[in-house]
Structure formats: structure tokens, C-alpha cells
Amino acid sequence: MHLEHAPTSQPEKGQPPRSMKKIAAASVIGTTVEWYDLFIFATASALVFNKVFFPSFDPLTGTLLAFGTFASAYVARMAGAALFGHFGDRVGRKSMLLVSLVMMGAATFAIGLLPDYDAIGIWAPTLLLALRVVQGLALGGEWGGAVLMAVEHAPAGRRGLYGSWVQIGVPAGTLIANLVFLLCSAVMSAEALLSWGWRIPFLASIVLVGVGMYIRLNTSETPSFSKIKASAAQVKIPLAEVLARSWRQVLLGGVATMPTGASFNLIVAFGLSYGTQTLGYSRNQMLAMVLAACALCMALLPLFGLLSDKIGRKPVIVGGIVAEALLAFPLFWLLDTGAFPLALLGYLLMMSAFAANYGPIATFLAELFGANVRYSGLSVSYMLSGLLGSAATPIVTTALLSATGRGSSVAWYMIGSAAVSALALLMLAETLRREAPAHVPAARAKAQLS
């Protein structure tokens, strides 16, 4: 069955170069801020939170609790996707992006001011969890809106490229987050880092939020939503419409995207803990690997997005998933050597596979849904993938390593995740030659599956 499409609105066929550059910059900087905030938490979970907020537990249990708090945001992201998706489909993309950015910035800054366990006891991890939930709600609304600002403005034949620019926010935010931690580690002792130095990355986020707000205030609403609003064609309850008519796209899209979260969090979260606590790499060495891998990813994402405009979304994404599966064992073999150059090679190879998978996925998911429910459908599908992949990976991999003592158990987890996701992706239709769906009346919308 196939979704019935109305012709695309004229503005989507091409934007003035200066306008598109501004829109691309707004998408990249905004998502960079959001993911920076998310991943300084991930880095801190691996390096310091088990000691600062969970010191009464043994190291492994403290790490698992820290990662559990890290994972809680992914549940909140689903709620955020539903909430912001609703208003994004009814009120507009731009306004929701501004609200999500302020929420994320406020929560991250507050974490930097939070007293530790020694100061206020159980209230410290409780407040940490609450602020983490606010972060998750904000990110649940951020990503989908940023994707739509880029994809719905993009010229015909370049949606994959512009959608991939949004994805740069993930490695860019991670790179900046780890660079800040690396600099803090370089200029202060381990005692100072645990005492107060870890707060600096959280407090510094307020600067990035200010930059993001300034740029986003100077962008316009997307042509697709402007057309829907002008014709008063908004769906009353977008999420209900999506789940009633396109639930299979939501579910399959989420499963198909799962390996991106698994492989990325394997590198930036579990890898840091595994490398420092099990293999004996220094904290600075592991952070340097993450920085190099993220820099490579930033360069590769637009290339894979552009390639998806040429040969299709699915071939590029499937290629990335297969590469992630094939590299799962080599990554651990290279890490287990204890040699920094070989471990770095493993990181670069896995991040290249991730870039092939992740670059086109934003545009692919956006093209699965009609414009009147696209914010909701896109956001819920992607946040489902985060819950299945990103949230579960640090907890599952840490538990597997504890039970088996071998990195191979984690490699098998990666391979299984890739196999399930590839199957889900193959059950969805290719979207490259389809015009980005404009408004489709709710009564005529049909499920779209090949």
C-alpha cells in the first residue's frame, strides 16, 4: 500500500543559496548544542558520575547506576517526541525548536550546579535523574524539528545532503563535549576533576545555547508547514493519526535505525568505560580516540547523504549496517591489543560505518510520512530507535562484559542488532524518487509499505 501524495509546494523545489546556508547552519548548530548537552552527560557517566553521585556502591554497580540515569533520558525522549511532535505539526517547526533549546540549556546548566552525594545524600542522584529527564524531553522534540527545517526547505534532489547536515550535530556535539573534558583533564588533577572540574562542561553549555538561539530566531518556518497552516489543514491529534495509519512505518523505522545508537554509544559511552577500567588505556587516550573518530564522522556524513541522493537511501544505509556488523569483532580485537594506534584504527573504522548508516537516515525517515503528521512520525520513530539502541547499549554491554569478561560478547550483541535492523529496513520502501509528501488529508492517508 502506498501513501497518496499531493504535489510538493513550490518553495521546496529550490531555495536561494544564502537562505539554505542559513537554514543548514541553524540546524547544525542547534543540534550540536543539544547533543553536546546529551553527551557531556554520557562522558561524565563513564568517567565521574559513579563516584560523585553513587559513591556508596562498588565501582561496577555505580557505573551501571550512572548509565541507568543516562538511559532514563531515552524514555523521556519518547514523551518529548510525542509532545513536541504534536505541537510541531499543529503550531509549527520553528517555535518548537526554540522551546526545546531553552529547556535543554536550562537543565544542563542546572546539572553543573548540582550538589554531590556527600553534600545532600540521596537527593543528589534524584535531582540528577530529574534533570536528565528534562534533557530527554527537550531532545525528543529537537531532532525531528531540526531535520524538517532542513529537509522541507531543501532543493529537489538534495534532501539527502541537507538532512545529513543535521546529523553532523551528533559527532560535533560529542567532539566538543569530549574536547572540553580532555582539556579539563589536561589542566587539573584527577582529584580536582572529581571535586569540581566536571562541572565546567555543563556550565559552559550556556554559551552554545545563546549562539543557537540567535541563529534560530533568524530562520523562517518551512514551506510545507506554511502551506498546511494557510489551508488550516492541521490534524487534530497528529500522533493518533500516525499510530492509526502509519504505525508500521514508525515501528520498522525505529528498528531499522537501532544500530546507529548502538554503535555510536559503544564508542562514546561503553568504550570509554571499557578502555579505561578494563584495558588500562588512560582517560586522555580514550577521549582522543573519540575526538578523532567524531572529526572523521563529521566529514563523512554529508558525503553519504549526497550519495543517497544519487543511488538511494536504502543501499547506503544497508551498507553501513553491514559494515557495523562486520567490524564488531575487529573493533574489540584492535582495542584488546592495548596499542593506541590499533585501537584508534578500530574506532575510525567503526565510525565510518556509522556515518554511512546515519547520514541518510534522517531524510529517509522524514520521507516516510506526510507533512501534516511528519514531525510526530519522524520524531517518535527515531526516538524509538534511541530507546532500543542508544539507551540499552551501555547497560547491556556493561552487563555482558561483567558476566563473560570478554569483548566478544559485546560484538555478538552488535551483530544481532545489525541483523534485526537490516531486516526491518528491507521491509520499508525506498523513498529517493518520491517527492517529499506535502499535505495529505487525513481521510485519504494510507499506510506506506512495500
Side-chain angles (χ1 to χ4, degrees):
M1 301 174 67
H2 297 277
L3 191 66
E4 296 177 7
H5 304 298
T8 8
S9 57
Q10 184 62 33
E12 287 184 327
K13 294 182 179 180
Q15 291 286 325
R18 181 175 298 179
S19 174
M20 279 312 306
K21 288 179 181 178
K22 181 188 294 185
I23 291 163
S27 297
V28 171
I29 292 176
T31 53
T32 297
V33 172
E34 298 275 356
W35 289 104
Y36 167 83
D37 289 349
L38 187 76
F39 283 114
I40 55 172
F41 197 107
T43 304
S45 294
L47 299 180
V48 300
F49 277 177
N50 59 329
K51 301 178 182 69
V52 173
F53 292 102
F54 306 97
S56 61
F57 300 94
D58 64 81
L60 176 61
T61 303
T63 298
L64 285 171
L65 288 171
F67 279 145
T69 304
F70 167 68
S72 67
Y74 291 93
V75 178
R77 281 167 64 175
M78 285 294 292
L83 178 64
F84 281 89
H86 174 84
F87 290 103
D89 282 325
R90 289 193 55 82
V91 179
R93 316 329 191 182
K94 179 180 174 179
S95 57
M96 292 303 100
L97 286 176
L98 294 173
V99 172
S100 66
L101 190 61
V102 171
M103 281 181 60
M104 177 66 87
T108 303
F109 190 80
I111 290 173
L113 299 175
L114 196 62
D116 60 19
Y117 187 91
D118 290 338
I120 59 174
I122 194 64
W123 281 106
T126 302
L127 291 172
L128 180 68
L129 176 61
L131 292 171
R132 182 62 174 168
V133 169
V134 175
Q135 282 189 321
L137 288 170
L139 189 61
E142 157 67 26
W143 183 85
V147 169
L148 296 189
M149 287 293 287
V151 172
E152 291 183 346
H153 276 104
R158 286 292 182 269
R159 292 195 299 269
L161 173 62
Y162 282 100
S164 70
W165 277 93
V166 178
Q167 307 294 70
I168 291 176
V170 174
T174 307
L175 187 150
I176 298 172
N178 283 283
L179 180 60
V180 171
F181 266 102
L182 186 61
L183 291 174
C184 290
S185 299
V187 301
M188 64 183 64
S189 65
E191 292 76 16
L193 183 67
L194 283 174
S195 177
W196 56 270
W198 66 268
R199 300 179 184 277
I200 295 175
F202 290 89
L203 298 176
S205 70
I206 200 69
V207 177
L208 294 176
V209 171
V211 174
M213 284 292 295
Y214 174 78
I215 293 177
R216 285 190 169 175
L217 284 169
N218 289 281
T219 57
S220 60
E221 185 55 83
T222 73
S224 290
F225 184 78
S226 295
K227 181 179 180 180
I228 291 172
K229 187 175 181 180
S231 58
Q234 294 100 320
V235 175
K236 185 175 182 181
I237 307 178
L239 181 60
E241 181 79 5
V242 166
L243 296 181
R245 301 185 180 274
S246 303
W247 64 269
R248 298 181 73 180
Q249 289 97 305
V250 171
L251 178 60
L252 291 174
V255 175
T257 315
M258 183 170 61
T260 60
S263 61
F264 196 81
N265 278 275
L266 179 66
I267 292 176
V268 304
F270 171 78
L272 283 174
S273 177
Y274 177 65
T276 55
Q277 297 180 16
T278 303
L279 301 180
Y281 291 98
S282 71
R283 183 170 59 243
N284 287 357
Q285 283 180 316
M286 295 305 304
L287 290 174
M289 290 183 205
V290 172
L291 289 176
C294 287
L296 176 64
C297 186
M298 290 170 62
L300 292 178
L301 283 171
L303 297 179
F304 286 117
L306 183 60
L307 182 61
S308 77
D309 284 326
K310 304 295 183 182
I311 67 173
R313 319 294 182 212
K314 289 175 64 175
V316 180
I317 298 170
V318 169
I321 292 175
V322 171
E324 287 171 331
L326 293 176
L327 289 169
F329 276 102
L331 172 63
F332 282 95
W333 294 336
L334 292 170
L335 280 171
D336 290 347
T337 63
F340 176 80
L342 294 177
L344 175 61
L345 175 61
Y347 261 47
L348 295 178
L349 290 173
M350 182 59 80
M351 192 62 91
S352 298
F354 165 82
N357 186 353
Y358 197 60
I361 201 72
T363 303
F364 177 73
L365 291 178
E367 290 170 337
L368 290 175
F369 304 98
N372 55 344
V373 295
R374 193 179 293 149
Y375 203 134
S376 297
L378 168 68
S379 297
V380 172
S381 183
Y382 183 75
M383 297 310 157
L384 174 62
S385 77
L387 191 61
L388 297 174
S390 299
T393 296
I395 297 174
V396 172
T397 52
T398 301
L400 285 173
L401 184 64
S402 175
T404 66
R406 301 176 63 86
S408 59
S409 61
V410 179
W412 282 116
Y413 168 74
M414 289 294 301
I415 292 171
S417 171
V420 172
S421 298
L423 179 61
L425 183 66
L426 294 174
M427 295 174 66
L428 288 165
E430 174 60 64
T431 62
L432 171 62
R433 303 303 175 192
R434 176 184 306 137
E435 286 296 310
H439 167 60
V440 180
R444 294 171 52 213
K446 296 180 179 180
Q448 169 207 322
L449 271 182
S450 62

